[in-house]
Amino acid sequence: MPERELPVGGLDDVDAVTRAVLAASRLLVAVSARSLAEVEERVTLPQFRMLMVLFTRGATKLVGLADHLQVAPSTAMRMVDRLIAAGLADRQTNPGDRRETLLTLTAEGRRTVERVGARRRAEVAAIVERLAPHQRAALVEALTAFSEAGGEPAGPVADDGHPHPLGWPTDVAGAREV
């Protein structure tokens, strides 16, 4: 792979770095969209995000789920109802407090999250494999610094087979993405 020229203004040019990050984010959004393509008739992006939260957090109360997703409990309830109707989520009585209901993934919901995650991981790995070893090392360093600057927690060191939770911290530019 040929070496790229340094951006105008050098490596410290905020505009050049911003353009590079935006280009990379377009690629990652495309990878994510393709990974969701096989389930898009059953699950919307916000619903998939809810599945991811249930996958990573396990059984969760509706209020906690709504809070984590930064949506109103009524919105979360409508999303849960659709996921239950699709056979991807379920309600269960909390054994510790029978007045509470916990939301969980069904086996099909778990398989859906795992399939989408595996597809996304494979596509990203194929892209990373095309980079030279020194580019991979630089990318790890740059993306780690970028994630830390944005308040995103580091991913797991070893691949434990579980996708990283979708954080979307509230303190980053007032983001309220669902």
Side-chain angles (χ1 to χ4, degrees):
M1 220 175 243
E3 290 289 324
R4 293 188 183 253
E5 291 183 28
L6 290 179
V8 175
L11 290 176
D12 197 31
D13 184 338
V14 172
D15 288 335
V17 174
T18 300
R19 283 192 304 276
V21 169
L22 290 174
S25 73
R26 286 191 302 273
L27 172 62
L28 292 172
V29 167
V31 167
S32 293
R34 286 190 295 269
S35 71
L36 284 168
E38 73 179 61
V39 298
E40 71 183 344
E41 290 182 16
R42 292 180 66 193
V43 181
T44 65
L45 179 58
Q47 290 168 343
F48 184 76
R49 185 168 172 231
M50 181 175 275
L51 291 176
M52 283 291 296
V53 171
L54 291 172
F55 185 89
T56 57
R57 293 178 61 133
T60 306
K61 293 189 291 186
L62 179 69
V63 173
L65 185 59
D67 186 52
H68 189 78
L69 294 171
Q70 298 177 4
V71 298
S74 60
T75 300
M77 179 59 81
R78 286 190 299 276
M79 291 170 63
V80 165
D81 288 343
R82 289 183 196 114
L83 292 174
I84 289 171
L88 301 172
D90 196 14
R91 287 185 186 93
Q92 299 176 348
T93 302
N94 183 348
D97 183 347
R98 300 196 51 77
R99 296 171 295 167
E100 293 180 345
T101 300
L102 297 175
L103 305 166
T104 61
L105 287 182
T106 62
E108 180 61 23
R110 184 167 293 286
R111 282 191 298 272
T112 297
V113 171
E114 289 169 346
R115 273 194 318 269
V116 169
R119 186 170 177 184
R120 181 173 35 225
R121 181 174 184 75
E123 191 168 344
V124 169
I127 294 167
V128 170
E129 284 176 352
R130 292 188 287 245
L131 298 173
H134 74 278
Q135 292 172 314
R136 292 178 197 164
L139 186 60
V140 168
E141 184 179 342
L143 290 177
T144 299
F146 182 77
S147 296
E148 288 172 357
E152 182 66 20
V157 174
D159 182 10
D160 61 7
H162 296 289
H164 193 272
L166 303 178
W168 283 292
T170 58
D171 61 343
V172 178
R176 207 178 144 79
E177 196 170 334
V178 179

